[in-house]
Amino acid sequence: DDLATTTTTTTTAAAATETTHTDDAAAAKGLSRQIAIKAGWLSFGTSFADEDVPTDFAPDDPEGEQIASLKESLGSDVFGALAGMTGLDQRPSSLSKDGAKEAQHVRVRGFKIDATTVSNEQFKKFVRDTKFETEAEKFRWSFVLEPLASAETIKQADGPNGLGRVGSSPWWLGVWGATWRKPEGPDSTVRGRANHPAVHISWNDATAYCAWAGRRLPTEREWELAARGGLEDEPFPWGADDHDLHARLNQWEGAYPEENLRKDGYVGTAPVDAYAPNGLGIYNMLGNVWEWCDGGTPDARPLRGGSYVDTVDGSHNHALRVSTRMDQSADSGGPNTGFRCAADLDDDASSSSRARQKKKKTSRAGATQSSTAEL
């Protein structure tokens, strides 16, 4: 079983060892198993321009009229979430539609990262234990993609008391009651999707879960090193091959947003362990859901990996690459935002060292007591 077996995979860029929970508290919380990744170098970011991807990924709006209109209709406090989900966010320093900046050759210290994103079942345990309320629950609404919404939810959104649609992206609905528990609105449920990623999660929500778990969010460099799966300077976790993509990741297939061919098996989210893992044993770091990372500022926290509304060829929204990224405000969240946890690699070693030191002190104290008694 997992507790009795340890596997090691050596790669060109990093070495990974699969680890599992060894303490009762972590097991009781149902945390994801983690992959330990040794220190290594990587090309962080996009080292090449995607010539096959259109470069006019941002709207032709030099005066910012579309942006101003959206802010006026929705308010600046929710614009960040909308911009990211609809592909309207501005990426002036990007080389391509993956949103990444020019590559740097960097070294990353050893760390551990969850093999999968946090699932609905795992997030439910956190909420039950802490009575935590997510940002979407506090706001009482979030965005829902129309093809995933029920006829009743669409009717309510379009009704006199509904939140309506985004003018320039009418497939995004403002839906009262859309939260991680009810991803597509009040008449939806996560029942039957326990192993799907928890969504409508903000950066603040993710960091609260990590603190409860005794873990943290990965940095962008850690995330990208893990996503590359041990490969160096390749666009995808499996290399450069762009064939049979339906068997590799969850992306949008078909004319967005009217049609999704479902060749990959899903229209919305897929299970956290769907498709084959990368060379380090890590699942779904491309597509499915955007993943929050540590860093940035309260107004611009990093998200990595893209989601099910994005495409590898960049024809719709972001181009899916291991370098794909964007920034959003810390309180933003949507039906395609989730996260996974990380931890320092030396945590276990430090704990063991402290335990050994404590044992030595206890032994010395016992020996002193014995000597005193003999006297």
Side-chain angles (χ1 to χ4, degrees):
D1 58 28
D2 285 339
L3 291 176
T5 304
T6 300
T7 59
T8 302
T9 304
T10 302
T11 65
T12 58
T17 302
E18 183 174 327
T19 61
T20 55
H21 310 306
T22 56
D23 62 278
D24 294 338
K29 291 180 176 180
L31 305 182
S32 297
R33 60 186 176 85
Q34 291 197 307
I35 304 297
I37 300 178
K38 296 180 180 179
W41 290 87
L42 82 152
S43 294
F44 174 71
T46 297
S47 62
F48 53 89
D50 295 315
E51 296 179 356
D52 59 326
V53 176
T55 58
D56 56 345
F57 53 86
D60 184 16
D61 185 27
E63 301 300 324
E65 294 179 359
Q66 293 184 44
I67 301 299
S69 175
L70 288 174
K71 285 186 176 180
E72 182 178 353
S73 62
L74 293 175
S76 59
D77 57 332
V78 297
F79 175 71
L82 168 66
M85 287 186 291
T86 58
L88 289 174
D89 54 314
Q90 298 178 357
R91 298 176 289 274
S93 59
S94 173
L95 290 179
S96 68
K97 201 182 177 182
D98 63 5
K101 298 179 181 180
E102 187 173 354
Q104 308 170 53
H105 199 53
V106 299
R107 180 172 173 80
V108 179
R109 295 179 60 182
F111 64 99
K112 294 180 290 187
I113 192 166
D114 290 359
T116 57
T117 52
V118 173
S119 69
N120 286 316
E121 180 65 24
Q122 291 170 321
F123 200 76
K124 180 177 72 174
K125 290 184 178 180
F126 159 62
V127 170
R128 285 183 173 178
D129 191 39
T130 63
K131 312 304 180 187
F132 183 81
E133 189 176 32
T134 64
E135 305 271 22
E137 289 170 313
K138 293 175 183 176
F139 296 149
R140 298 178 52 225
W141 75 278
S142 189
F143 288 105
V144 173
L145 189 66
E146 183 176 10
L148 301 179
S150 69
E152 184 60 30
T153 294
I154 296 172
K155 180 180 178 181
Q156 192 279 330
D158 290 336
N161 297 318
L163 293 171
R165 302 166 180 257
V166 178
S168 61
S169 304
W171 44 87
W172 286 113
L173 310 175
V175 175
W176 292 113
T179 69
W180 74 271
R181 302 173 188 270
K182 298 179 178 294
E184 292 81 45
D187 59 355
S188 65
T189 178
V190 293
R191 188 177 297 120
R193 290 185 282 179
N195 199 36
H196 283 235
V199 294
H200 295 286
I201 301 297
S202 72
W203 187 91
N204 294 328
D205 301 334
T207 55
Y209 176 96
C210 289
W212 168 80
R215 297 178 176 181
R216 59 174 174 78
L217 287 177
T219 66
E220 285 198 74
R221 291 180 179 185
E222 289 172 339
W223 189 96
E224 190 165 321
L225 180 61
R228 290 184 179 278
L231 302 178
E232 171 61 17
D233 202 21
E234 294 288 354
F236 312 120
W238 55 85
D241 184 8
D242 61 358
H243 296 92
D244 299 322
L245 293 173
H246 63 278
R248 299 182 187 271
L249 80 166
N250 181 16
Q251 64 165 337
W252 195 269
E253 299 168 298
Y256 179 84
E258 298 85 4
E259 175 190 44
N260 192 312
L261 302 177
R262 298 185 66 165
K263 291 181 179 180
D264 55 25
Y266 305 93
V267 176
T269 60
V272 298
D273 57 356
Y275 317 106
N278 68 15
L280 299 180
I282 306 173
Y283 293 84
N284 290 2
M285 296 198 80
L286 223 58
N288 211 25
V289 294
W290 285 98
E291 299 182 22
W292 289 108
C293 287
D294 192 27
T297 67
D299 293 329
R301 299 293 189 185
L303 282 158
R304 298 302 306 260
S307 77
Y308 60 81
V309 303
D310 301 303
T311 52
V312 166
D313 64 6
S315 58
H316 308 306
N317 303 313
H318 286 74
L320 294 172
R321 303 284 187 274
V322 292
S323 52
T324 300
R325 71 175 305 281
M326 68 174 177
D327 295 316
Q328 293 296 323
S329 61
D331 60 356
S332 298
N336 56 346
T337 56
F339 70 104
R340 72 180 72 216
C341 301
D344 295 338
L345 185 57
D346 60 358
D347 278 352
D348 293 339
S350 298
S351 298
S352 299
S353 177
R354 288 193 295 269
R356 286 195 299 270
Q357 291 175 2
K358 183 177 180 180
K359 185 175 182 180
K360 287 181 180 178
K361 290 180 179 179
T362 303
S363 299
R364 287 197 296 270
T368 300
Q369 290 175 352
S370 298
S371 298
T372 303
E374 291 173 357
L375 290 173

